Amino acid sequence: GAGVSQSPSNKVTEKGKDVELRCDPISGHTALYWYRQSLGQGLEFLIYFQGNSAPDKSGLPSDRFSAERTGGSVSTLTIQRTQQEDSAVYLCASSSPPLGELFFGEGSRLTVL
Amino acid sequence: RKEVEQDPGPFNVPEGATVAFNCTYSNSASQSFFWYRQDCRKEPKLLMSVYSSGNEDGRFTAQLNRASQYISLLIRDSKLSDSATYLCVVDQTGANNLFFGTGTRLTVIP
């Protein structure tokens, strides 16, 4: 498939555990975004990667959240010591050029018990 | 103040009706504006970009009012398949991230 791929699609974890969410963007897309969407809410910007530039981390809600993008392609969002309020759908999107059409993956639904 | 604000609705309209949504944004220097559509439990997808002169795509018309800092989406002759949440999206000037509104839910009733 040529779309944005995210894994896992669903993750249930216990409070205090670490989780990793993966995003494989569309090949050739230089911009990659992470958003999260809580039930019935809008999309909350988390972090943005563009090529080899330093990522825009201004949306990360706490230092428990981090993300990396290796080789300008696959990205991993890590949440350490998960809390119940971290429960949400985490959406990854890629685009080229930046501010062009964002193509979203189907999301990773995280539930923290 | 939120970067992007929308009336959450819901808007319940009969088939064939015309419905309009507005969205206000806080950054007067924003340059890029979009409407995305999100179906229930699905990912958002681009509906249309919004250009300064206004633009139309079939039954959908988007307009930008820079003076009042709002964008609008007009849907004519509503179809059942138009039922979805419509997200207003605005760029943050000086950065390459995009702010999404909370969305306006539309339900078209037979």
Side-chain angles (χ1 to χ4, degrees):
Chain A
V4 176
S5 177
Q6 290 189 247
S7 61
S9 55
N10 279 285
K11 176 72 176 179
V12 179
T13 190
E14 294 179 346
K15 178 181 174 181
K17 300 283 189 180
D18 297 351
V19 296
E20 283 190 353
L21 307 176
R22 176 190 167 102
C23 173
D24 197 346
I26 293 173
S27 178
H29 279 193
T30 57
L32 186 147
Y33 303 77
W34 282 99
Y35 290 86
R36 73 175 176 182
Q37 187 171 34
S38 301
L39 187 62
Q41 301 298 310
L43 275 69
E44 176 187 3
F45 168 76
L46 297 178
I47 188 168
Y48 163 76
F49 295 90
Q50 168 55 28
N52 296 320
S53 302
D56 178 352
K57 304 180 182 181
S58 60
L60 294 178
S62 78
D63 59 7
R64 297 186 294 104
F65 288 73
S66 63
E68 62 178 19
R69 187 180 185 189
T70 54
S73 180
V74 172
S75 176
T76 301
L77 177 68
T78 301
I79 308 173
Q80 296 178 310
R81 306 181 300 282
T82 52
Q83 304 294 312
Q84 288 184 332
E85 61 263 29
D86 299 335
S87 297
V89 176
Y90 289 80
L91 290 160
C92 174
S94 69
S95 72
S96 184
L99 301 185
E101 179 177 0
L102 265 62
F103 292 87
F104 284 86
E106 294 185 344
S108 292
R109 183 176 298 276
L110 174 66
T111 303
V112 182
L113 301 177
Chain B
R1 181 184 174 185
K2 291 184 179 179
E3 290 84 2
V4 181
E5 296 200 56
Q6 294 183 250
D7 180 345
F11 284 69
N12 299 315
V13 302
E15 271 187 290
T18 296
V19 61
F21 311 133
N22 282 341
C23 163
T24 58
Y25 60 95
S26 60
N27 190 334
S28 60
S30 292
Q31 296 293 323
S32 301
F33 310 90
F34 309 90
W35 284 101
Y36 276 70
R37 169 189 170 134
Q38 186 173 27
D39 292 296
C40 187
R41 301 180 75 86
K42 296 286 190 180
E43 70 276 18
K45 294 183 179 179
L46 178 67
L47 177 66
M48 58 196 304
S49 302
V50 185
Y51 303 121
S52 296
S53 55
N55 48 299
E56 187 173 306
D57 182 2
R59 297 180 294 108
F60 299 83
T61 301
Q63 292 193 316
L64 168 64
N65 184 318
R66 287 192 182 275
S68 300
Q69 292 181 215
Y70 77 81
I71 66 174
S72 64
L73 178 67
L74 181 77
I75 305 175
R76 292 181 300 278
D77 188 23
S78 299
K79 310 291 185 189
L80 296 177
S81 57
D82 294 334
S83 297
T85 296
Y86 291 84
L87 303 168
C88 170
V89 183
V90 179
D91 74 314
Q92 180 189 26
T93 302
N96 279 320
N97 54 41
L98 295 171
F99 287 103
F100 282 71
T102 53
T104 299
R105 181 180 295 180
L106 170 67
T107 301
V108 180
I109 304 165

